Amino acid sequence: MDEKTTLTFDSGLRREVLGFFGKDVNEEGIIVEKTNPNQHVLSTDGQEVREVEFGGIRKGSEVFIKNDLVSLMRLSKQ
């Protein structure tokens, strides 16, 4: 049986959720490593992820997912 956990949160809580994973948002709105603000978080296609694009983190790793249709379709095929 494949159990899935889903967490839904208000967009106002993005920074708090990111903080739980050791991430922060820089002055340009890009998600970065809290311990190394020069290291940007990348999506599955290698692009920087902005706070407003943050859609979630895939289980088992820190693969960040944008909240656009293409990213969600890619996730559904994995």
Side-chain angles (χ1 to χ4, degrees):
M1 177 180 213
D2 185 17
E3 294 184 33
K4 294 183 180 183
T5 303
T6 302
L7 173 65
T8 305
F9 56 90
D10 183 88
S11 62
L13 294 175
R14 281 187 184 130
R15 289 190 186 208
E16 190 169 344
V17 170
L18 290 168
F20 294 143
F21 291 93
K23 307 302 181 239
D24 203 357
V25 178
N26 69 12
E27 314 80 42
E28 294 140 9
I30 298 170
I31 301 172
V32 296
E33 295 291 333
K34 194 177 280 188
T35 57
N36 182 3
N38 293 322
Q39 184 177 349
H40 297 178
V41 165
L42 302 178
S43 65
T44 54
D45 59 353
Q47 295 181 353
E48 297 171 338
V49 180
R50 297 187 165 279
E51 179 184 16
V52 297
E53 299 173 316
F54 176 61
I57 303 171
R58 189 172 68 201
K59 181 180 177 183
S61 65
E62 287 191 352
V63 176
F64 281 72
I65 305 157
K66 291 186 177 183
N67 62 357
D68 59 38
L69 185 58
V70 173
S71 297
L72 296 175
M73 287 175 62
R74 283 186 189 139
L75 177 65
S76 71
K77 292 180 182 180
Q78 294 180 356

